[in-house]
Amino acid sequence: MAGAGIAVVGASLGGLRAAEQLRAAGWRDTITLFGEEPHLPYNRPPLSKEVLAGEAPASGTELRRRPSVQDVEWRLGTAVAAADLTARTLTLTDGSVHLYEGLVAATGVRPRRLPLPGGPPRHVVRTLEDSAALAAELVAGARVLVIGSGFIGCEVAATARTAGCEVTVVAPESEPMLLAVGEDLGRALRHRHEARGVRFRMGHLATALTPRGAVLDDGTELAADVLVEAVGSLPNTEWLATTPGLDLTDGILCDAHLRIGGLSHAVAVGDVARFPNPRYGPVPRRVEHWSVPGDTARHAARTLLAALTDTPRDPTPCAPLPAFWSDQFTLRLQSFGQPSLADRTELLSGDPESPDGDLLYGYYENDRLIGVAALGSPAASAAAARHRTELMTLPEPVV
Amino acid sequence: MVKVTVDMDVCQNHGQCVFAAPDVFRLDEDGHLAYVASPDAALRDDVEDAADVCPLQAIRVEG
Ligand SMILES: Cc1cc2nc3c(=O)[nH]c(=O)nc-3n(C[C@H](O)[C@H](O)[C@H](O)COP(=O)(O)OP(=O)(O)OC[C@H]3O[C@@H](n4cnc5c(N)ncnc54)[C@H](O)[C@@H]3O)c2cc1C
């Protein structure tokens, strides 16, 4: 086993950061990165924004790689089909077997699809190819139906509207981005979208698709030339199902040090990892924010190296501060902390009735500030960022 | 010394670099980025972290 090196499965943001952090933590041996996509790691956020709008070339999305990972082995266009975490082997889709000493799982998520057949041309946005295919359809006057009002749905709606499309968003929640930022900020966001011409049918589901559009649960028909499915994601964990005993319900269950299934030589990072964050109690959660692959990679790399080199592990649990942003039209939504867990929301500054001013909301759980979210200009984001120190303070000493 | 350049045509003032390397990057009241172009070599790791966390990948580190 010794000398077989570390295998990283998933060659995107999380996989790249894991390789860099392994080097930073002192690992000089082999690192092999397996990536299903044919591309070197690239940045996904522009795929629903600048790249989708044709404002930035897809080639500009390649992620910066630290010089320290120049000598890692890239196995791109190579999916891992199965893993045996006891024997420490990976089986690739061509049947060949790869031995490893340490494993990093960084396989992310893929878009969930609507369980409905038929419809007009259907799109999702996760990869470079997805973004290019949708971009080709966003011509002025095209009727675009977006199903789902989370951040990808809202961003695609804004980009399509800016391109001159007729855009309608359908979702079962009461307001867009409800799960991420709550009712009040969601409503303000919807008003700003509506002021720019996006239509919303909130509180509705699509129950059938036809070649000319969709039928909603109240019987109304919406005509559409293009359908975008933005209805959440499914973690890519099937390759681990071949190891018995792992909890793969909604991602890979990890402990507070990102170890998989109690094993010391296997860790998970990024969108696919479900781990407890001591900031918000013992419940393990997945967090699909861009900042998390970096934060978890740093911790996971140290966990793994302590095990492989038989040195003491840092006892502090992984406790990243969740942070996400979203760009819609010229508006920036910025969030720090975990607004979704709040029992109370408070307007900290701004006028929600104003069509364009900056807004800042605070989110509380048992009167403790657990999140802030801002909508508007860079100044609003900067105002949100000023609460970061308070949000960083851990609720109680953790061991 | 380390040489830092931020492509200000690409920068969108996310401020993630400010958290990673507060001695090098700063946001003003309006939320616009300012930075030290030649920080001390002791800050290299912080600057590398800042370049990593830039959502626009607008930060270059040399030297
Ligand atoms: C369109 C879009 C816009 C976004 N915008 C924002 C934003 O504005 N703000 C924000 O905070 N976050 C945003 N995000 C989220 C952010 O991009 C993700 O959190 C981040 O990409 C997660 O990185 P990851 O490496 O964990 O997973 P991924 O990026 O999903 O990478 C996983 C990789 O693993 C590969 N893989 C999967 N299975 C296998 C296998 N069996 N073998 C080998 N390889 C495999 C996949 O092909 C993929 O390349 C956006 C995401 C998308 C899709």
Side-chain angles (χ1 to χ4, degrees):
Chain A
M1 205 85 67
I6 295 176
V8 180
V9 184
S12 179
L13 183 60
L16 170 62
R17 293 295 181 252
E20 291 172 335
Q21 292 297 337
L22 286 164
R23 286 284 185 252
W27 182 256
R28 297 280 158 265
D29 269 345
T30 311
I31 298 177
T32 312
L33 275 110
F34 295 92
E36 182 164 24
E37 296 185 72
H39 313 284
L40 280 162
Y42 61 90
N43 208 17
R44 296 188 200 280
L47 302 184
S48 51
K49 311 175 184 81
E50 299 86 350
V51 170
L52 186 59
E55 285 161 16
S59 58
T61 56
E62 193 171 297
L63 287 163
R64 180 187 95 104
R65 299 185 298 280
R66 289 191 185 192
S68 63
V69 293
Q70 244 155 28
D71 61 348
V72 305
E73 195 186 329
W74 296 95
R75 302 283 302 272
L76 300 174
T78 308
V80 171
D84 183 334
L85 268 52
T86 314
R88 300 200 211 181
T89 58
L90 300 176
T91 305
L92 312 185
T93 37
D94 66 6
S96 62
V97 173
H98 178 91
L99 226 66
Y100 66 81
E101 260 177 283
L103 177 72
V104 181
T107 43
V109 300
R110 61 180 179 276
R112 188 191 293 280
R113 305 299 304 238
L114 284 170
L116 299 172
R122 297 166 68 157
H123 293 265
V124 293
V125 186
R126 186 78 200 171
T127 65
L128 274 170
E129 291 78 7
D130 294 340
S131 182
L134 178 57
E137 305 229 39
L138 297 186
V139 293
R143 293 165 302 179
V144 178
L145 179 57
V146 180
I147 313 260
S149 64
F151 75 101
I152 292 184
C154 286
E155 288 177 4
V156 168
T159 305
R161 183 66 196 140
T162 305
C165 301
E166 297 290 322
V167 182
T168 306
V169 178
V170 174
E173 293 86 12
S174 55
E175 297 294 353
M177 305 276 305
L178 185 77
L179 299 178
V181 296
E183 193 88 32
D184 297 348
L185 188 47
R187 184 180 313 109
L189 182 70
R190 177 170 56 82
H191 287 156
R192 290 175 191 208
H193 269 257
E194 285 169 343
R196 290 161 175 85
V198 176
R199 284 187 289 264
F200 286 85
R201 296 295 310 274
M202 299 308 295
H204 289 287
L205 290 167
T207 50
L209 302 177
T210 71
R212 286 171 310 283
V215 183
L216 305 192
D217 51 5
D218 62 354
T220 46
E221 282 181 43
L222 290 176
D225 306 309
V226 186
L227 182 79
V228 182
E229 298 173 55
V231 292
S233 54
L234 295 173
N236 295 319
T237 55
E238 289 77 4
W239 62 283
L240 280 170
T242 46
T243 295
L246 299 182
D247 184 341
L248 302 176
T249 35
D250 190 33
I252 307 171
L253 180 65
C254 302
D255 67 11
H257 300 284
L258 303 168
R259 290 174 297 194
I260 302 172
L263 297 166
S264 58
H265 51 77
V267 290
V269 302
D271 281 6
V272 79
R274 184 160 61 96
F275 61 99
N277 188 333
R279 297 183 186 285
Y280 312 107
V283 179
R285 296 188 179 86
R286 281 191 319 104
V287 190
E288 288 183 40
H289 297 164
W290 192 89
S291 61
V292 171
D295 293 334
T296 49
R298 181 184 306 262
H299 200 101
R302 290 179 190 159
T303 301
L304 191 56
L305 284 206
L308 296 183
T309 59
D310 229 345
T311 47
R313 183 167 46 77
D314 178 357
T316 324
C318 185
L321 180 70
F324 81 85
W325 81 96
S326 178
D327 291 307
Q328 302 173 23
F329 298 103
T330 53
L331 302 165
R332 161 82 41 87
L333 184 65
Q334 176 79 61
S335 159
F336 296 102
Q338 193 87 52
S340 61
L341 298 179
D343 51 41
R344 180 167 65 84
T345 305
E346 207 177 287
L347 180 68
L348 298 181
S349 67
D351 171 10
E353 301 307 319
S354 139
D356 265 311
D358 289 353
L359 293 175
L360 181 65
Y361 284 93
Y363 300 82
Y364 301 83
E365 185 188 35
N366 300 323
D367 287 328
R368 175 170 81 101
L369 184 74
I370 56 162
V372 293
L375 181 67
S377 69
S381 299
R386 274 179 225 120
H387 292 272
R388 198 171 178 275
T389 315
E390 186 181 353
L391 293 166
M392 285 288 281
T393 312
L394 282 169
E396 60 209 35
V398 282
V399 214
Chain B
M1 217 140 67
V2 187
K3 192 164 171 294
V4 180
T5 19
V6 180
D7 185 338
M8 294 310 273
D9 292 336
V10 173
C11 171
Q12 291 183 5
N13 307 298
H14 277 276
Q16 291 295 328
C17 52
V18 179
F19 306 129
D23 294 329
V24 180
F25 302 93
R26 174 173 78 74
L27 287 181
D28 67 18
E29 276 296 301
D30 297 329
H32 294 297
L33 186 75
Y35 66 101
V36 182
S38 309
D40 196 273
L43 294 169
R44 156 171 295 284
D45 283 349
D46 288 359
V47 173
E48 289 277 0
D49 286 347
D52 278 359
V53 298
C54 173
L56 280 304
Q57 300 283 292
I59 302 173
R60 272 220 342 255
V61 188
E62 291 161 290

